[in-house]
Amino acid sequence: MSCLLVKNLNSQTSIQILEGCFFPYKPLKVLDLNKNEDGSKTARIQFESKENANKAMQEMNMKEIMNRKIEIEFFQQDVVIQDDEETKELIGEAVYPIALGRYGKVAPKLTGMLVESIIKNTKNDKELLNDLLSDDIILDELVDYAYDKFVLES
């Protein structure tokens, strides 16, 4: 899941208005809508996929909603890890969509390779794991590396 921070919203903006404006990028959930000191509002919107969040960011940033030009940025959420299974799941959720989009049917194999490698190399360093999972460029490069390694081993 990915989260966007939508800033500079009109003070009359409601959750229903946001859900309508961002409807093409569903499924989504407006996590909160807060009033700022300057009278504007800020919202956090969670998208089920990173792709939908990216598309919403590209298409909606600097657009007008209720006569105000909104600003959108990615909202970094700290990864809270409870156990190894949850860690594997978080890594898989970050890696699999990238692998699937690039390499199709070998995505499960690449995801498995990367889950094991990332766990081994982060060694319970939650801060390092959080940084890694929130950096799309690094994840892209890791998926490409895993594919190259997979091809060489085949």
Short mmCIF file of all heavy atoms in Angstrom, two decimals, residues 47-86:
data_model
loop_
_atom_site.label_atom_id
_atom_site.label_comp_id
_atom_site.label_asym_id
_atom_site.label_seq_id
_atom_site.Cartn_x
_atom_site.Cartn_y
_atom_site.Cartn_z
N PHE A 47 -3.62 4.20 -1.01
CA PHE A 47 -3.99 3.47 -2.21
C PHE A 47 -3.58 2.01 -2.05
O PHE A 47 -2.56 1.71 -1.45
CB PHE A 47 -3.29 4.08 -3.43
CG PHE A 47 -3.74 5.48 -3.71
CD1 PHE A 47 -3.16 6.55 -3.04
CD2 PHE A 47 -4.75 5.74 -4.61
CE1 PHE A 47 -3.58 7.85 -3.27
CE2 PHE A 47 -5.18 7.03 -4.85
CZ PHE A 47 -4.59 8.10 -4.18
N GLU A 48 -4.36 1.12 -2.64
CA GLU A 48 -4.08 -0.30 -2.50
C GLU A 48 -2.80 -0.69 -3.22
O GLU A 48 -2.10 -1.61 -2.80
CB GLU A 48 -5.25 -1.12 -3.04
CG GLU A 48 -5.14 -2.58 -2.69
CD GLU A 48 -6.42 -3.32 -2.96
OE1 GLU A 48 -7.38 -3.12 -2.20
OE2 GLU A 48 -6.43 -4.08 -3.93
N SER A 49 -2.47 0.04 -4.30
CA SER A 49 -1.25 -0.30 -5.03
C SER A 49 -0.38 0.93 -5.23
O SER A 49 -0.87 2.06 -5.30
CB SER A 49 -1.58 -0.92 -6.39
OG SER A 49 -2.06 0.07 -7.28
N LYS A 50 0.91 0.67 -5.34
CA LYS A 50 1.87 1.73 -5.60
C LYS A 50 1.62 2.34 -6.98
O LYS A 50 1.79 3.54 -7.18
CB LYS A 50 3.29 1.16 -5.51
CG LYS A 50 4.36 2.19 -5.32
CD LYS A 50 5.72 1.56 -5.13
CE LYS A 50 5.88 1.07 -3.71
NZ LYS A 50 7.24 0.69 -3.37
N GLU A 51 1.18 1.51 -7.92
CA GLU A 51 0.90 1.99 -9.28
C GLU A 51 -0.22 3.02 -9.27
O GLU A 51 -0.13 4.05 -9.94
CB GLU A 51 0.54 0.82 -10.21
CG GLU A 51 1.69 -0.11 -10.50
CD GLU A 51 1.94 -1.13 -9.39
OE1 GLU A 51 1.04 -1.39 -8.56
OE2 GLU A 51 3.06 -1.66 -9.34
N ASN A 52 -1.30 2.74 -8.52
CA ASN A 52 -2.42 3.69 -8.45
C ASN A 52 -1.98 4.99 -7.78
O ASN A 52 -2.38 6.08 -8.20
CB ASN A 52 -3.60 3.09 -7.70
CG ASN A 52 -4.33 2.05 -8.52
OD1 ASN A 52 -3.99 1.79 -9.67
ND2 ASN A 52 -5.34 1.44 -7.93
N ALA A 53 -1.16 4.89 -6.75
CA ALA A 53 -0.66 6.10 -6.08
C ALA A 53 0.22 6.92 -7.02
O ALA A 53 0.09 8.14 -7.08
CB ALA A 53 0.12 5.73 -4.82
N ASN A 54 1.08 6.25 -7.77
CA ASN A 54 1.94 6.95 -8.73
C ASN A 54 1.11 7.66 -9.79
O ASN A 54 1.37 8.82 -10.14
CB ASN A 54 2.91 5.98 -9.42
CG ASN A 54 4.06 5.59 -8.55
OD1 ASN A 54 4.49 6.35 -7.69
ND2 ASN A 54 4.57 4.40 -8.75
N LYS A 55 0.10 6.94 -10.30
CA LYS A 55 -0.76 7.53 -11.34
C LYS A 55 -1.53 8.74 -10.79
O LYS A 55 -1.63 9.77 -11.44
CB LYS A 55 -1.71 6.47 -11.88
CG LYS A 55 -2.47 6.91 -13.09
CD LYS A 55 -3.25 5.77 -13.70
CE LYS A 55 -3.95 6.26 -14.95
NZ LYS A 55 -4.80 5.23 -15.56
N ALA A 56 -2.06 8.60 -9.58
CA ALA A 56 -2.78 9.71 -8.95
C ALA A 56 -1.86 10.91 -8.76
O ALA A 56 -2.25 12.06 -9.03
CB ALA A 56 -3.37 9.27 -7.61
N MET A 57 -0.64 10.64 -8.31
CA MET A 57 0.34 11.71 -8.11
C MET A 57 0.63 12.43 -9.42
O MET A 57 0.62 13.66 -9.49
CB MET A 57 1.62 11.09 -7.53
CG MET A 57 2.78 12.02 -7.50
SD MET A 57 2.86 12.80 -5.91
CE MET A 57 4.53 13.35 -5.95
N GLN A 58 0.90 11.66 -10.47
CA GLN A 58 1.24 12.26 -11.77
C GLN A 58 0.09 13.06 -12.36
O GLN A 58 0.30 14.14 -12.90
CB GLN A 58 1.66 11.17 -12.76
CG GLN A 58 2.97 10.52 -12.43
CD GLN A 58 3.23 9.29 -13.29
OE1 GLN A 58 2.40 8.87 -14.06
NE2 GLN A 58 4.42 8.71 -13.12
N GLU A 59 -1.11 12.53 -12.25
CA GLU A 59 -2.25 13.16 -12.91
C GLU A 59 -2.94 14.24 -12.09
O GLU A 59 -3.56 15.13 -12.65
CB GLU A 59 -3.26 12.09 -13.32
CG GLU A 59 -2.70 11.15 -14.38
CD GLU A 59 -3.65 10.04 -14.79
OE1 GLU A 59 -4.82 10.04 -14.34
OE2 GLU A 59 -3.22 9.17 -15.57
N MET A 60 -2.82 14.17 -10.76
CA MET A 60 -3.57 15.12 -9.92
C MET A 60 -2.72 16.23 -9.30
O MET A 60 -3.26 17.26 -8.89
CB MET A 60 -4.29 14.36 -8.80
CG MET A 60 -5.39 13.43 -9.27
SD MET A 60 -6.76 14.29 -10.05
CE MET A 60 -7.48 15.14 -8.65
N ASN A 61 -1.40 16.05 -9.22
CA ASN A 61 -0.56 17.06 -8.60
C ASN A 61 -0.69 18.39 -9.36
O ASN A 61 -0.63 18.43 -10.58
CB ASN A 61 0.90 16.61 -8.58
CG ASN A 61 1.75 17.49 -7.70
OD1 ASN A 61 1.28 18.01 -6.68
ND2 ASN A 61 2.99 17.65 -8.06
N MET A 62 -0.89 19.46 -8.63
CA MET A 62 -1.03 20.82 -9.14
C MET A 62 -2.34 21.07 -9.89
O MET A 62 -2.50 22.07 -10.56
CB MET A 62 0.16 21.22 -10.02
CG MET A 62 1.52 21.09 -9.32
SD MET A 62 1.61 21.91 -7.70
CE MET A 62 1.70 23.62 -8.18
N LYS A 63 -3.30 20.16 -9.75
CA LYS A 63 -4.64 20.35 -10.31
C LYS A 63 -5.47 21.14 -9.31
O LYS A 63 -5.13 21.24 -8.14
CB LYS A 63 -5.33 19.01 -10.58
CG LYS A 63 -4.63 18.15 -11.58
CD LYS A 63 -4.81 18.66 -12.98
CE LYS A 63 -4.18 17.67 -13.94
NZ LYS A 63 -4.12 18.10 -15.27
N GLU A 64 -6.58 21.71 -9.79
CA GLU A 64 -7.45 22.47 -8.90
C GLU A 64 -8.61 21.61 -8.41
O GLU A 64 -9.24 20.91 -9.18
CB GLU A 64 -7.99 23.71 -9.60
CG GLU A 64 -6.98 24.82 -9.70
CD GLU A 64 -7.58 26.16 -10.07
OE1 GLU A 64 -8.83 26.31 -10.03
OE2 GLU A 64 -6.79 27.06 -10.37
N ILE A 65 -8.82 21.68 -7.11
CA ILE A 65 -10.00 21.10 -6.48
C ILE A 65 -10.64 22.23 -5.69
O ILE A 65 -9.99 22.83 -4.83
CB ILE A 65 -9.64 19.92 -5.55
CG1 ILE A 65 -9.05 18.76 -6.35
CG2 ILE A 65 -10.88 19.46 -4.78
CD1 ILE A 65 -8.64 17.56 -5.50
N MET A 66 -11.88 22.52 -6.00
CA MET A 66 -12.63 23.60 -5.34
C MET A 66 -11.83 24.91 -5.37
O MET A 66 -11.66 25.58 -4.35
CB MET A 66 -13.01 23.19 -3.91
CG MET A 66 -13.93 21.98 -3.86
SD MET A 66 -14.41 21.54 -2.19
CE MET A 66 -15.45 22.94 -1.75
N ASN A 67 -11.34 25.26 -6.54
CA ASN A 67 -10.64 26.53 -6.80
C ASN A 67 -9.32 26.69 -6.05
O ASN A 67 -8.86 27.81 -5.82
CB ASN A 67 -11.55 27.73 -6.52
CG ASN A 67 -12.76 27.73 -7.42
OD1 ASN A 67 -12.65 27.44 -8.61
ND2 ASN A 67 -13.92 28.03 -6.86
N ARG A 68 -8.70 25.60 -5.64
CA ARG A 68 -7.38 25.65 -5.01
C ARG A 68 -6.47 24.65 -5.69
O ARG A 68 -6.85 23.49 -5.87
CB ARG A 68 -7.44 25.34 -3.52
CG ARG A 68 -8.09 26.50 -2.75
CD ARG A 68 -7.82 26.43 -1.32
NE ARG A 68 -6.44 26.72 -0.99
CZ ARG A 68 -6.09 27.32 0.11
NH1 ARG A 68 -7.00 27.73 0.96
NH2 ARG A 68 -4.83 27.52 0.40
N LYS A 69 -5.27 25.09 -6.03
CA LYS A 69 -4.29 24.20 -6.65
C LYS A 69 -3.68 23.33 -5.56
O LYS A 69 -3.06 23.84 -4.64
CB LYS A 69 -3.20 25.03 -7.35
CG LYS A 69 -2.32 24.20 -8.24
CD LYS A 69 -1.30 25.05 -8.97
CE LYS A 69 -1.97 25.75 -10.13
NZ LYS A 69 -1.03 26.38 -11.04
N ILE A 70 -3.88 22.03 -5.69
CA ILE A 70 -3.40 21.11 -4.66
C ILE A 70 -1.95 20.69 -4.94
O ILE A 70 -1.48 20.75 -6.07
CB ILE A 70 -4.29 19.85 -4.55
CG1 ILE A 70 -4.29 19.04 -5.84
CG2 ILE A 70 -5.70 20.24 -4.12
CD1 ILE A 70 -4.91 17.67 -5.72
N GLU A 71 -1.27 20.31 -3.89
CA GLU A 71 0.09 19.79 -3.98
C GLU A 71 0.07 18.39 -3.38
O GLU A 71 -0.49 18.17 -2.31
CB GLU A 71 1.06 20.67 -3.19
CG GLU A 71 1.14 22.10 -3.68
CD GLU A 71 1.91 23.00 -2.74
OE1 GLU A 71 2.73 22.48 -1.95
OE2 GLU A 71 1.68 24.21 -2.78
N ILE A 72 0.72 17.46 -4.10
CA ILE A 72 0.71 16.06 -3.64
C ILE A 72 2.15 15.57 -3.52
O ILE A 72 2.98 15.85 -4.37
CB ILE A 72 -0.05 15.16 -4.63
CG1 ILE A 72 -1.48 15.65 -4.81
CG2 ILE A 72 -0.04 13.71 -4.14
CD1 ILE A 72 -2.27 14.90 -5.86
N GLU A 73 2.39 14.84 -2.45
CA GLU A 73 3.70 14.20 -2.27
C GLU A 73 3.48 12.84 -1.62
O GLU A 73 2.44 12.58 -1.02
CB GLU A 73 4.64 15.06 -1.44
CG GLU A 73 4.14 15.34 -0.04
CD GLU A 73 4.99 16.35 0.71
OE1 GLU A 73 5.27 17.44 0.16
OE2 GLU A 73 5.34 16.04 1.86
N PHE A 74 4.47 11.96 -1.79
CA PHE A 74 4.38 10.67 -1.14
C PHE A 74 4.55 10.85 0.36
O PHE A 74 5.36 11.64 0.81
CB PHE A 74 5.42 9.69 -1.68
CG PHE A 74 5.03 9.14 -3.02
CD1 PHE A 74 5.56 9.66 -4.18
CD2 PHE A 74 4.10 8.12 -3.10
CE1 PHE A 74 5.18 9.16 -5.41
CE2 PHE A 74 3.71 7.62 -4.33
CZ PHE A 74 4.26 8.14 -5.48
N PHE A 75 3.77 10.10 1.11
CA PHE A 75 3.84 10.13 2.56
C PHE A 75 4.58 8.89 3.02
O PHE A 75 4.16 7.77 2.74
CB PHE A 75 2.43 10.17 3.16
CG PHE A 75 2.41 10.24 4.66
CD1 PHE A 75 2.65 11.44 5.31
CD2 PHE A 75 2.17 9.11 5.43
CE1 PHE A 75 2.64 11.51 6.69
CE2 PHE A 75 2.16 9.18 6.81
CZ PHE A 75 2.39 10.39 7.44
N GLN A 76 5.71 9.09 3.67
CA GLN A 76 6.53 7.96 4.14
C GLN A 76 5.95 7.44 5.45
O GLN A 76 5.84 8.18 6.42
CB GLN A 76 7.98 8.42 4.39
CG GLN A 76 8.67 8.90 3.15
CD GLN A 76 9.01 7.76 2.20
OE1 GLN A 76 9.19 6.64 2.63
NE2 GLN A 76 9.09 8.06 0.93
N GLN A 77 5.61 6.17 5.44
CA GLN A 77 5.13 5.53 6.65
C GLN A 77 6.22 4.62 7.16
O GLN A 77 6.83 3.89 6.39
CB GLN A 77 3.88 4.71 6.37
CG GLN A 77 2.68 5.57 5.99
CD GLN A 77 1.49 4.70 5.65
OE1 GLN A 77 1.56 3.86 4.79
NE2 GLN A 77 0.40 4.93 6.35
N ASP A 78 6.49 4.70 8.44
CA ASP A 78 7.49 3.79 9.01
C ASP A 78 6.94 2.37 9.01
O ASP A 78 5.79 2.13 9.34
CB ASP A 78 7.83 4.19 10.45
CG ASP A 78 8.65 5.46 10.50
OD1 ASP A 78 9.29 5.78 9.49
OD2 ASP A 78 8.63 6.12 11.55
N VAL A 79 7.78 1.46 8.61
CA VAL A 79 7.42 0.05 8.61
C VAL A 79 7.59 -0.47 10.04
O VAL A 79 8.66 -0.35 10.62
CB VAL A 79 8.33 -0.74 7.64
CG1 VAL A 79 8.00 -2.22 7.70
CG2 VAL A 79 8.20 -0.20 6.23
N VAL A 80 6.53 -1.02 10.58
CA VAL A 80 6.59 -1.61 11.91
C VAL A 80 6.58 -3.12 11.73
O VAL A 80 5.61 -3.69 11.25
CB VAL A 80 5.40 -1.15 12.79
CG1 VAL A 80 5.48 -1.80 14.15
CG2 VAL A 80 5.39 0.36 12.90
N ILE A 81 7.67 -3.74 12.10
CA ILE A 81 7.83 -5.17 11.87
C ILE A 81 7.69 -5.92 13.17
O ILE A 81 8.35 -5.62 14.15
CB ILE A 81 9.20 -5.45 11.22
CG1 ILE A 81 9.28 -4.70 9.90
CG2 ILE A 81 9.42 -6.93 11.04
CD1 ILE A 81 10.66 -4.61 9.34
N GLN A 82 6.82 -6.93 13.15
CA GLN A 82 6.58 -7.72 14.35
C GLN A 82 7.40 -9.01 14.36
O GLN A 82 7.96 -9.37 15.37
CB GLN A 82 5.09 -8.07 14.45
CG GLN A 82 4.19 -6.86 14.46
CD GLN A 82 4.41 -5.93 15.64
OE1 GLN A 82 4.75 -6.37 16.72
NE2 GLN A 82 4.25 -4.65 15.44
N ASP A 83 7.44 -9.72 13.22
CA ASP A 83 8.13 -11.00 13.18
C ASP A 83 8.64 -11.29 11.78
O ASP A 83 8.40 -10.52 10.86
CB ASP A 83 7.22 -12.13 13.68
CG ASP A 83 5.92 -12.22 12.89
OD1 ASP A 83 5.93 -11.96 11.67
OD2 ASP A 83 4.90 -12.57 13.49
N ASP A 84 9.32 -12.43 11.62
CA ASP A 84 9.90 -12.80 10.33
C ASP A 84 8.86 -12.97 9.24
O ASP A 84 9.08 -12.57 8.10
CB ASP A 84 10.73 -14.07 10.46
CG ASP A 84 12.06 -13.81 11.15
OD1 ASP A 84 12.45 -12.63 11.29
OD2 ASP A 84 12.72 -14.78 11.55
N GLU A 85 7.73 -13.58 9.57
CA GLU A 85 6.69 -13.79 8.55
C GLU A 85 6.15 -12.45 8.06
O GLU A 85 5.91 -12.27 6.88
CB GLU A 85 5.56 -14.67 9.10
CG GLU A 85 5.93 -16.13 9.21
CD GLU A 85 6.44 -16.71 7.90
OE1 GLU A 85 5.81 -16.54 6.85
OE2 GLU A 85 7.52 -17.36 7.93
N GLU A 86 5.96 -11.52 8.98
CA GLU A 86 5.47 -10.20 8.59
C GLU A 86 6.53 -9.48 7.75
O GLU A 86 6.20 -8.79 6.79
CB GLU A 86 5.11 -9.38 9.83
CG GLU A 86 4.44 -8.06 9.47
CD GLU A 86 3.97 -7.29 10.69
OE1 GLU A 86 3.96 -7.84 11.80
OE2 GLU A 86 3.64 -6.12 10.52
#
